[in-house]
Amino acid sequence: MILIKTAEEIELMRESALVVSKTLGMLASEIKPGADPLKLDKMAEEFIREQGAVPGFLGMYDFPNTLNWSPNAQVVHGIPNNELLKEGDIVSVDCGALKNGFYGDHAYTFEVGEVPEKTKKLLRVTKASLYIGIREFKLGNRVGDVAHAIQTYCESHGYGVVRELVGHGLGRDLHEDPQMPNYGKRGRGKKFVNGMVVAIEPMINMGTRSIKQLKDGWTILTADGLPSAHFEHNVALVNGKPELLSTFQYIYDALGIRSEEEAEFTRHEFH
Ligand code: MG
Ligand code: MG
């Protein structure tokens, strides 16, 4: 069942999403060669608690950490360990926060030092596909419209679109209806209505879409060992249009990146 949110609930969800946005922004300046994932995980936990929230993933289904930390060929659900970041790595960081009874849940794939152009392109295309998907999250459209838009864009670049893991509705539960796959057919699936809040999160592989899971029961990685990227935003459907509750602006501020990509989906000014 899809749980529709009131305007007040959407404002609370924006707060939860922004806790995560700020946490990813804080991490952005720390993610560099030699950085210790376990230290960053602890920093993230403290930073979330300082904002009057609790880590959304810690203890959820017995997950042991605050961050999903998925370097290189890991797609999602990686567990932070003591393997230090190296020049040329990428790392997908997915983070959740619970505040006022609502979850925020979003993710960004970071470059560590200088990354090969081929990998940069994977990140660029995956992030672009996120916004292409968000643009389809509008009144009258259906789940399949978002899914199809993401799939066709990524596949046109020869990339593998992961199918086993999907985006989702978001609210008082981390995973609510509907499921939001990154592949599918136009015009199919649940219809979007005002007050829906979803996490849209393409998980895109440089090579095959096939994945495997490590024996830890969590870590998902590409079957061919090639890199994978993951970008996730929390989006509300307001007045028929998609409105971002999360933002990458804190990351961009930390990294000195200029971007207009969120402008069409943003209600608030962040500066
Ligand atoms: Mg997530
Ligand atoms: Mg999610």
Side-chain angles (χ1 to χ4, degrees):
M1 189 181 58
I2 295 174
L3 299 170
I4 301 305
K5 276 77 184 178
T6 64
E8 292 75 21
E9 288 173 329
I10 287 173
E11 286 319 300
L12 291 176
M13 292 197 68
R14 189 192 309 278
E15 264 191 59
S16 306
L18 289 180
V19 170
V20 180
S21 303
K22 290 172 187 171
T23 306
L24 293 175
M26 179 277 290
L27 291 170
S29 9
E30 304 289 332
I31 290 178
K32 50 195 168 201
D36 177 352
L38 286 172
K39 209 172 126 196
L40 298 195
D41 185 75
K42 203 69 204 158
M43 283 176 70
E45 179 180 352
E46 283 164 14
F47 193 79
I48 290 168
R49 293 192 192 281
E50 279 167 16
Q51 296 175 78
V54 295
F57 299 164
L58 183 64
M60 169 81 72
Y61 317 116
D62 289 330
F63 189 78
N65 291 82
T66 291
L67 302 175
N68 282 189
W69 181 268
S70 310
N72 302 319
Q74 295 188 10
V75 181
V76 287
H77 301 169
I79 301 174
N81 59 19
N82 55 13
E83 201 170 307
L84 306 185
L85 288 175
K86 302 183 307 294
E87 179 85 20
D89 282 350
I90 55 170
V91 59
S92 299
V93 182
D94 196 349
C95 181
L98 177 63
K99 188 174 182 182
N100 299 317
F102 289 96
Y103 281 95
D105 167 23
H106 75 120
Y108 192 89
T109 301
F110 294 91
E111 300 177 12
V112 183
E114 198 47 48
V115 165
E117 176 50 35
K118 214 176 151 188
T119 309
K120 281 182 197 279
K121 189 186 163 200
L122 172 70
L123 269 47
R124 243 182 355 252
V125 168
T126 304
K127 184 147 65 67
S129 81
L130 169 61
Y131 293 106
I132 286 168
I134 290 171
R135 204 165 288 132
E136 298 299 317
F137 181 58
K138 59 186 180 190
L139 198 63
N141 265 9
R142 292 174 183 271
V143 167
D145 296 306
V146 172
H148 183 263
I150 293 172
Q151 179 185 9
T152 44
Y153 181 71
C154 293
E155 288 183 349
S156 76
H157 288 276
Y159 295 146
V161 178
V162 173
R163 300 193 176 197
E164 292 84 347
L165 299 135
V166 297
H168 48 92
L170 186 70
R172 291 188 183 277
D173 283 315
L174 180 58
H175 297 123
E176 295 186 356
D177 286 337
Q179 291 202 340
M180 295 288 292
N182 299 304
Y183 70 97
K185 293 201 163 61
R186 212 177 267 155
R188 299 278 181 86
K190 291 271 186 341
K191 207 171 192 171
F192 300 137
V193 295
N194 283 319
M196 283 179 75
V197 178
V198 295
I200 298 178
E201 48 178 318
M203 289 155 264
I204 307 300
N205 299 345
M206 188 184 280
T208 177
R209 69 174 172 83
S210 303
I211 54 167
K212 52 188 185 180
Q213 188 170 34
L214 288 185
K215 287 202 184 72
D216 63 18
W218 280 104
T219 311
I220 304 291
L221 64 169
T222 59
D224 58 10
L226 290 175
S228 183
H230 178 213
F231 291 88
E232 176 177 21
H233 264 318
N234 301 154
V235 197
L237 188 50
V238 179
N239 296 328
K241 291 194 292 243
E243 186 178 300
L244 281 183
L245 302 182
S246 53
T247 175
F248 295 144
Q249 194 56 53
Y250 296 98
I251 295 171
Y252 296 156
D253 287 350
L255 300 180
I257 294 171
R258 282 182 64 86
S259 167
E260 295 297 313
E261 68 199 1
E262 293 182 358
E264 69 180 286
F265 310 114
T266 303
R267 200 197 63 180
H268 286 321
E269 280 289 288
F270 288 92
H271 298 283

